[in-house]
Tab-separated table of all heavy atoms in Angstrom:
chain	number	residue	atom	x	y	z
A	1041	SER	N	-24.895	20.544	10.855
A	1041	SER	CA	-24.032	21.624	10.471
A	1041	SER	C	-23.652	21.450	9.012
A	1041	SER	O	-22.950	20.513	8.676
A	1041	SER	CB	-22.816	21.595	11.386
A	1041	SER	OG	-21.963	22.569	10.971
A	1088	GLN	N	-15.933	29.068	8.245
A	1088	GLN	CA	-17.044	28.410	9.159
A	1088	GLN	C	-16.825	28.945	10.549
A	1088	GLN	O	-15.970	29.837	10.792
A	1088	GLN	CB	-16.962	26.909	9.041
A	1088	GLN	CG	-15.722	26.195	9.396
A	1088	GLN	CD	-15.794	24.719	9.150
A	1088	GLN	OE1	-15.522	24.229	8.007
A	1088	GLN	NE2	-16.140	23.929	10.126
A	1089	GLY	N	-17.568	28.335	11.502
A	1089	GLY	CA	-17.586	28.899	12.863
A	1089	GLY	C	-16.281	28.839	13.604
A	1089	GLY	O	-15.854	29.801	14.228
A	1090	ARG	N	-15.529	27.723	13.391
A	1090	ARG	CA	-14.280	27.543	14.171
A	1090	ARG	C	-13.256	28.508	13.687
A	1090	ARG	O	-12.334	28.873	14.453
A	1090	ARG	CB	-13.842	26.111	14.124
A	1090	ARG	CG	-13.329	25.569	12.844
A	1090	ARG	CD	-13.336	24.065	12.769
A	1090	ARG	NE	-14.662	23.592	12.751
A	1090	ARG	CZ	-14.935	22.267	12.772
A	1090	ARG	NH1	-13.983	21.385	12.812
A	1090	ARG	NH2	-16.253	21.842	12.760
A	1091	ALA	N	-13.312	28.960	12.474
A	1091	ALA	CA	-12.383	29.974	11.934
A	1091	ALA	C	-12.649	31.288	12.695
A	1091	ALA	O	-11.661	32.032	12.985
A	1091	ALA	CB	-12.532	30.079	10.433
A	1093	GLU	N	-13.847	31.565	15.670
A	1093	GLU	CA	-13.328	31.333	17.043
A	1093	GLU	C	-11.770	31.484	17.035
A	1093	GLU	O	-11.234	32.198	17.893
A	1093	GLU	CB	-13.692	29.907	17.505
A	1093	GLU	CG	-15.160	29.679	17.686
A	1093	GLU	CD	-15.508	28.164	17.684
A	1093	GLU	OE1	-14.587	27.304	17.674
A	1093	GLU	OE2	-16.686	27.828	17.649
A	1113	PHE	N	-18.634	24.658	23.099
A	1113	PHE	CA	-18.737	23.516	22.166
A	1113	PHE	C	-17.252	22.987	21.977
A	1113	PHE	O	-16.246	23.687	22.317
A	1113	PHE	CB	-19.286	23.997	20.821
A	1113	PHE	CG	-19.525	22.829	19.906
A	1113	PHE	CD1	-20.363	21.839	20.193
A	1113	PHE	CD2	-18.802	22.764	18.661
A	1113	PHE	CE1	-20.473	20.711	19.411
A	1113	PHE	CE2	-18.951	21.709	17.842
A	1113	PHE	CZ	-19.804	20.606	18.166
A	1115	THR	N	-15.200	22.732	19.494
A	1115	THR	CA	-14.230	23.491	18.653
A	1115	THR	C	-13.890	24.772	19.477
A	1115	THR	O	-12.733	25.242	19.341
A	1115	THR	CB	-14.803	23.879	17.293
A	1115	THR	OG1	-15.998	24.635	17.497
A	1115	THR	CG2	-15.101	22.668	16.469
A	1116	THR	N	-14.878	25.271	20.181
A	1116	THR	CA	-14.570	26.521	21.031
A	1116	THR	C	-13.569	26.191	22.128
A	1116	THR	O	-12.566	26.909	22.285
A	1116	THR	CB	-15.877	27.011	21.693
A	1116	THR	OG1	-16.937	26.742	20.770
A	1116	THR	CG2	-15.794	28.463	21.872
A	1171	THR	N	-23.258	29.981	24.727
A	1171	THR	CA	-23.562	29.222	23.491
A	1171	THR	C	-25.084	29.094	23.401
A	1171	THR	O	-25.690	28.570	24.301
A	1171	THR	CB	-22.925	27.810	23.583
A	1171	THR	OG1	-21.580	27.931	23.916
A	1171	THR	CG2	-23.098	27.105	22.220
A	1173	THR	N	-28.230	27.874	20.900
A	1173	THR	CA	-28.635	27.059	22.078
A	1173	THR	C	-27.335	26.254	22.486
A	1173	THR	O	-26.409	26.260	21.753
A	1173	THR	CB	-29.679	26.074	21.689
A	1173	THR	OG1	-29.220	25.290	20.541
A	1173	THR	CG2	-30.978	26.784	21.148
A	1175	ASN	N	-25.385	23.475	22.517
A	1175	ASN	CA	-25.246	22.224	21.754
A	1175	ASN	C	-24.725	21.013	22.598
A	1175	ASN	O	-25.317	19.997	22.634
A	1175	ASN	CB	-24.328	22.455	20.537
A	1175	ASN	CG	-24.237	21.256	19.561
A	1175	ASN	OD1	-24.991	20.321	19.756
A	1175	ASN	ND2	-23.340	21.333	18.675
A	1204	ASP	N	-21.853	32.672	21.129
A	1204	ASP	CA	-21.650	31.688	20.075
A	1204	ASP	C	-23.002	31.427	19.490
A	1204	ASP	O	-23.859	30.787	20.123
A	1204	ASP	CB	-21.068	30.421	20.755
A	1204	ASP	CG	-20.899	29.275	19.701
A	1204	ASP	OD1	-21.545	29.329	18.612
A	1204	ASP	OD2	-20.147	28.328	19.996
A	1206	CYS	N	-24.489	30.286	16.647
A	1206	CYS	CA	-24.814	29.487	15.378
A	1206	CYS	C	-26.331	29.058	15.387
A	1206	CYS	O	-26.886	28.903	14.349
A	1206	CYS	CB	-23.908	28.380	15.141
A	1206	CYS	SG	-23.545	27.255	16.524
A	1207	ARG	N	-26.933	28.885	16.633
A	1207	ARG	CA	-28.393	28.510	16.597
A	1207	ARG	C	-29.230	29.590	17.265
A	1207	ARG	O	-30.142	29.322	18.017
A	1207	ARG	CB	-28.500	27.148	17.254
A	1207	ARG	CG	-27.778	26.034	16.533
A	1207	ARG	CD	-27.994	24.649	17.057
A	1207	ARG	NE	-27.206	23.691	16.352
A	1207	ARG	CZ	-25.883	23.471	16.544
A	1207	ARG	NH1	-25.228	24.112	17.546
A	1207	ARG	NH2	-25.294	22.584	15.782
A	1244	SER	N	-21.329	30.105	13.215
A	1244	SER	CA	-21.250	29.084	12.134
A	1244	SER	C	-22.534	29.134	11.382
A	1244	SER	O	-23.557	28.763	11.874
A	1244	SER	CB	-21.070	27.710	12.799
A	1244	SER	OG	-21.248	26.733	11.776
A	1246	LYS	N	-23.493	27.519	9.113
A	1246	LYS	CA	-23.844	26.184	8.654
A	1246	LYS	C	-25.063	25.658	9.406
A	1246	LYS	O	-25.500	24.594	9.147
A	1246	LYS	CB	-22.672	25.220	8.811
A	1246	LYS	CG	-21.531	25.625	7.875
A	1246	LYS	CD	-20.225	24.927	8.260
A	1246	LYS	CE	-20.280	23.459	7.812
A	1246	LYS	NZ	-18.964	22.782	8.030
A	1247	LYS	N	-25.475	26.437	10.397
A	1247	LYS	CA	-26.740	25.986	11.143
A	1247	LYS	C	-27.835	26.981	10.813
A	1247	LYS	O	-28.428	26.735	9.739
A	1247	LYS	CB	-26.428	26.066	12.616
A	1247	LYS	CG	-25.539	24.894	13.205
A	1247	LYS	CD	-24.057	25.156	13.016
A	1247	LYS	CE	-23.220	24.158	13.673
A	1247	LYS	NZ	-21.799	24.320	13.376
B	1575	LIG	C1	-22.241	25.566	19.332
B	1575	LIG	C2	-21.243	25.449	18.231
B	1575	LIG	N1	-20.264	26.332	18.183
B	1575	LIG	C3	-19.338	26.294	17.152
B	1575	LIG	C4	-19.404	25.300	16.175
B	1575	LIG	C5	-18.332	25.271	15.085
B	1575	LIG	O1	-18.807	25.564	13.881
B	1575	LIG	P1	-18.185	24.971	12.501
B	1575	LIG	O2	-18.478	23.583	12.426
B	1575	LIG	O3	-18.860	25.776	11.412
B	1575	LIG	O4	-16.692	25.275	12.593
B	1575	LIG	C6	-20.432	24.334	16.235
B	1575	LIG	C7	-20.518	23.276	15.190
B	1575	LIG	O5	-21.226	22.309	15.294
B	1575	LIG	C8	-21.348	24.437	17.277
B	1575	LIG	O6	-22.425	23.552	17.309
Side-chain angles (χ1 to χ4, degrees):
S1041 179
Q1088 61 184 86
R1090 70 198 68 184
E1093 292 160 9
F1113 185 62
T1115 59
T1116 329
T1171 310
T1173 58
N1175 185 8
D1204 175 342
C1206 50
R1207 298 183 184 84
S1244 167
K1246 296 166 74 174
K1247 285 84 171 174

